[in-house]
Amino acid sequence: AAKQNGGNGAQAYNLDMYQRVRQRVGLEQDLTLALAQQQFSLSFQPQMEVSSGKLVGFEALIRWKHPERGHVPPDHFIPVLEQNRQIIPLGYWIIERCLQLSLSLQYAGWHDLRIAINLSAEQFSDPELFNRLTALLQQYEVDGRFIELELTERTLVQDIDCMLQRMQQIKTLGVHLAIDDFGTGYSSLNYLKQMPMDSIKIDKSFLSGMLENRADGQIITSIIAMMHQLELQVVAEGVETTQQLEFLRQHGCDMAQGYLIARPIPQTELLGYIEQHFTQGVWHPQQP
Ligand code: C2E
Ligand code: MG
Ligand code: MG
Ligand code: MG
């Protein structure tokens, strides 16, 4: 853009800024409308136990179908919602939908499946979180152990005492706590030791590099060994190949999630999908 504008760097920079601000404002207006018009939906991606192939639950992933722009990826709009704090009301809508799903799974005879919900740092530091969560679990009569909250390392470096207290409160509900995208942030092992975590999710970038890059494989095996020492379960995300799954099995990784096992499935198709692909609750690899 700088050259097209006659090489005036400052002017180009301003134009760029202007465009970015315009895009952002446009997106923000669209998001407000999207919230009102319910353009959001949830997809659910299965998680399974590596050793047995047993279905253990799902991760809820938000989807936005924009009337003109089509599907907008969460990595594009979640940061905007975080910045203008609309992620908080949207977040409670997501939690409520997950509780409804948890109930319908149980009615359908799928007991013991856990639903993992991504929580932004802004949501986790909302002072109302604990009370709202308590009330929603009661309202839907869902046991806390069927819900897991995925926090990121960004959440954990905020006011640590306050966060620890909140985690302990939430643990009293039986809700599981996990650290998402583990290995990409700054979580100190010392903090991790103090936190009432149940599991960590190894970031998918380590998985994608694993088979070519020896270091990534070694990082994965070290994380698994270290987390087991801390009595935490390990989930691998982004599992795309049978070689990766086999590697994880050999090194005692507890859970796996990824396109190899299943893509995120729209909520309306979920029951049919799992009945077909997880007969008796166990994953059946597709015959090639
Ligand atoms: P995340 O929580 O780390 O979610 C995992 C992402 O990896 C998802 O992308 C998922 O679709 C994708 N994925 C799953 N399996 C594979 C695989 O085998 N290979 C590859 N390459 N990717 C795989 P998605 O749905 O685009 O979400 C991106 C991020 O947006 C999430 O990362 C999460 O940070 C955020 N996000 C999504 N839904 C929500 C939500 O409901 N609330 C909040 N606060 N954030 C959300
Ligand atoms: Mg996640
Ligand atoms: Mg992740
Ligand atoms: Mg992520």
Side-chain angles (χ1 to χ4, degrees):
K3 282 200 185 99
Q4 278 163 17
N5 287 308
N8 185 329
Q11 198 185 329
Y13 174 76
N14 284 335
L15 253 170
D16 236 42
M17 277 274 288
Y18 174 71
Q19 240 146 32
R20 242 179 299 156
V21 168
R22 258 191 54 165
Q23 258 172 19
R24 197 171 189 100
V25 169
L27 190 63
E28 232 160 326
Q29 282 166 352
D30 285 358
L31 278 166
T32 305
L33 201 69
L35 279 167
Q37 296 185 344
Q38 302 177 328
Q39 293 166 7
F40 292 109
S41 65
L42 291 174
S43 282
F44 293 88
Q45 188 176 33
Q47 296 183 337
M48 72 171 200
E49 193 174 72
V50 173
S51 60
S52 63
K54 197 170 153 264
L55 179 66
V56 290
F58 310 98
E59 177 179 19
L61 295 159
I62 188 86
R63 294 292 175 258
W64 179 22
K65 191 158 182 277
H66 187 279
E68 288 111 42
R69 277 188 274 182
H71 289 281
V72 185
D75 285 330
H76 290 190
F77 66 87
I78 294 282
V80 179
L81 291 174
E82 286 172 345
Q83 210 169 30
N84 68 20
R85 300 186 68 75
Q86 282 179 319
I87 191 68
I88 294 173
L90 179 65
Y92 288 120
W93 178 85
I94 293 168
I95 294 174
E96 207 163 336
R97 296 299 293 263
C98 290
L99 292 171
Q100 282 167 355
L101 175 67
S102 178
L103 264 192
S104 32
L105 285 168
Q106 290 179 49
Y107 284 136
W110 290 92
H111 306 289
D112 297 326
L113 294 184
R114 190 158 51 227
I115 301 174
I117 305 172
N118 290 286
L119 233 60
S120 300
E122 291 73 13
Q123 295 174 265
F124 196 72
S125 31
D126 175 19
E128 282 184 37
L129 177 66
F130 176 71
N131 289 339
R132 293 281 299 263
L133 199 56
T134 309
L136 285 171
L137 286 167
Q138 267 168 10
Q139 185 187 333
Y140 287 93
E141 298 182 57
V142 170
D143 196 303
R145 72 194 163 94
F146 295 126
I147 297 298
E148 177 166 276
L149 301 180
E150 291 189 4
L151 312 177
T152 65
E153 291 168 291
R154 189 164 70 83
T155 309
L156 310 181
V157 294
Q158 293 182 320
D159 181 352
I160 186 71
D161 290 326
C162 183
M163 292 305 123
L164 267 175
Q165 208 188 351
R166 172 122 343 137
M167 285 173 204
Q168 257 127 24
Q169 256 188 332
I170 288 174
K171 282 308 296 173
T172 64
L173 301 170
V175 168
H176 280 232
L177 294 178
I179 301 178
D180 202 357
D181 304 337
F182 187 82
T184 58
Y186 300 94
S187 66
S188 134
L189 293 173
N190 194 39
Y191 286 156
L192 195 60
K193 205 176 63 189
Q194 303 173 47
M195 286 173 186
M197 283 295 151
D198 297 280
S199 56
I200 62 111
K201 297 184 77 175
I202 301 178
D203 191 68
K204 57 179 177 294
S205 58
F206 296 111
L207 262 286
S208 54
M210 188 186 85
L211 296 170
E212 304 92 65
N213 185 340
R214 254 188 97 219
D216 280 340
Q218 280 164 346
I219 290 172
I220 293 176
T221 55
S222 317
I223 292 179
I224 295 171
M226 191 167 56
M227 292 305 135
H228 284 170
Q229 286 286 314
L230 294 171
E231 296 180 340
L232 296 175
Q233 292 220 300
V234 181
V235 185
E237 63 173 23
V239 180
E240 295 183 352
T241 67
T242 44
Q243 292 102 297
Q244 289 171 330
L245 187 60
E246 194 42 46
F247 179 95
L248 295 168
R249 185 176 288 129
Q250 274 167 16
H251 292 93
C253 183
D254 302 284
M255 255 94 74
Q257 177 185 346
Y259 296 164
L260 173 71
I261 301 146
R263 298 214 164 226
I265 304 147
Q267 181 163 2
T268 48
E269 298 162 25
L270 187 62
L271 269 174
Y273 186 95
I274 59 176
E275 267 150 28
Q276 194 180 344
H277 296 267
F278 292 88
T279 357
Q280 252 99 70
V282 174
W283 180 55
H284 294 280
Q286 294 282 297
Q287 299 305 321

Coordinates of all heavy atoms in Angstrom, one line a residue, residues 1-20:
A1 N 0.8 -1.2 0.0 CA 0.0 0.0 0.0 C 0.9 1.2 0.0 O 0.5 2.2 -0.6 CB -0.9 0.0 1.2
A2 N 2.1 1.2 0.6 CA 2.9 2.3 0.8 C 3.3 2.8 -0.6 O 3.3 4.0 -0.9 CB 4.2 2.0 1.6
K3 N 3.7 1.9 -1.5 CA 4.2 2.3 -2.8 C 3.1 2.9 -3.7 O 3.2 3.9 -4.3 CB 4.8 1.1 -3.6 CG 6.2 0.8 -3.0 CD 7.0 0.0 -4.0 CE 8.3 -0.4 -3.4 NZ 8.3 -1.7 -2.8
Q4 N 1.9 2.3 -3.6 CA 0.7 2.8 -4.4 C 0.4 4.3 -4.0 O -0.1 5.0 -4.8 CB -0.5 1.9 -4.2 CG -0.4 0.7 -5.0 CD -1.4 -0.4 -4.6 OE1 -2.3 -0.1 -3.8 NE2 -1.2 -1.6 -5.0
N5 N 0.7 4.6 -2.7 CA 0.3 5.9 -2.3 C 1.5 6.9 -2.4 O 1.6 7.8 -1.7 CB -0.1 5.9 -0.8 CG -1.5 5.3 -0.7 OD1 -2.4 5.7 -1.4 ND2 -1.7 4.2 0.1
G6 N 2.4 6.6 -3.4 CA 3.5 7.5 -3.6 C 4.6 7.4 -2.6 O 5.4 8.3 -2.5
G7 N 4.7 6.3 -1.9 CA 5.8 6.0 -1.1 C 5.8 6.8 0.2 O 6.8 6.8 1.0
N8 N 4.7 7.5 0.5 CA 4.7 8.3 1.8 C 4.3 7.3 2.9 O 3.1 7.0 3.1 CB 3.6 9.4 1.7 CG 3.6 10.3 2.9 OD1 3.9 9.8 4.0 ND2 3.3 11.5 2.7
G9 N 5.3 6.9 3.6 CA 5.1 5.9 4.7 C 4.1 6.3 5.7 O 3.2 5.5 6.0
A10 N 4.2 7.5 6.2 CA 3.3 8.0 7.3 C 1.8 8.0 6.8 O 0.9 7.5 7.5 CB 3.7 9.4 7.7
Q11 N 1.6 8.4 5.5 CA 0.3 8.5 5.0 C -0.3 7.1 4.9 O -1.4 6.8 5.2 CB 0.3 9.2 3.7 CG -1.0 9.7 3.2 CD -0.9 10.2 1.8 OE1 0.1 10.8 1.4 NE2 -2.0 10.1 1.0
A12 N 0.6 6.2 4.3 CA 0.1 4.8 4.2 C -0.2 4.2 5.5 O -1.2 3.5 5.7 CB 1.3 4.0 3.5
Y13 N 0.6 4.5 6.5 CA 0.3 4.0 7.8 C -1.0 4.4 8.3 O -1.8 3.7 8.8 CB 1.4 4.4 8.8 CG 1.2 4.0 10.2 CD1 1.4 2.7 10.6 CD2 0.8 5.0 11.1 CE1 1.1 2.4 11.9 CE2 0.5 4.6 12.4 CZ 0.7 3.3 12.8 OH 0.5 3.0 14.1
N14 N -1.3 5.7 8.1 CA -2.6 6.3 8.6 C -3.8 5.6 7.8 O -4.8 5.3 8.4 CB -2.6 7.8 8.4 CG -1.8 8.5 9.4 OD1 -1.6 8.0 10.5 ND2 -1.3 9.7 9.1
L15 N -3.6 5.4 6.5 CA -4.6 4.8 5.7 C -4.9 3.4 6.2 O -6.0 3.0 6.4 CB -4.2 4.7 4.3 CG -4.9 5.7 3.3 CD1 -4.2 5.7 2.0 CD2 -6.3 5.3 3.2
D16 N -3.8 2.7 6.5 CA -3.9 1.3 7.0 C -4.6 1.3 8.3 O -5.5 0.5 8.5 CB -2.4 0.9 7.3 CG -2.1 -0.4 6.5 OD1 -2.6 -0.5 5.4 OD2 -1.5 -1.3 7.2
M17 N -4.3 2.2 9.2 CA -4.9 2.3 10.5 C -6.4 2.6 10.3 O -7.2 2.0 10.9 CB -4.3 3.5 11.3 CG -3.0 3.3 12.0 SD -3.4 2.6 13.6 CE -4.0 4.1 14.4
Y18 N -6.7 3.5 9.4 CA -8.0 3.9 9.2 C -8.8 2.7 8.7 O -9.9 2.5 9.2 CB -8.0 5.0 8.1 CG -9.4 5.4 7.6 CD1 -10.3 6.2 8.5 CD2 -9.9 5.1 6.4 CE1 -11.5 6.5 8.1 CE2 -11.1 5.4 5.9 CZ -12.0 6.2 6.8 OH -13.2 6.5 6.4
Q19 N -8.2 2.0 7.8 CA -8.9 0.8 7.3 C -9.2 -0.3 8.4 O -10.2 -0.9 8.5 CB -8.1 0.2 6.2 CG -8.9 0.1 4.9 CD -8.0 0.3 3.7 OE1 -6.9 -0.1 3.7 NE2 -8.6 1.0 2.6
R20 N -8.2 -0.4 9.2 CA -8.3 -1.4 10.3 C -9.4 -1.0 11.3 O -10.1 -1.8 11.7 CB -6.9 -1.6 11.0 CG -6.5 -3.0 10.8 CD -5.1 -3.3 11.4 NE -4.1 -2.5 10.9 CZ -3.0 -2.1 11.5 NH1 -2.8 -2.6 12.7 NH2 -2.1 -1.4 10.9

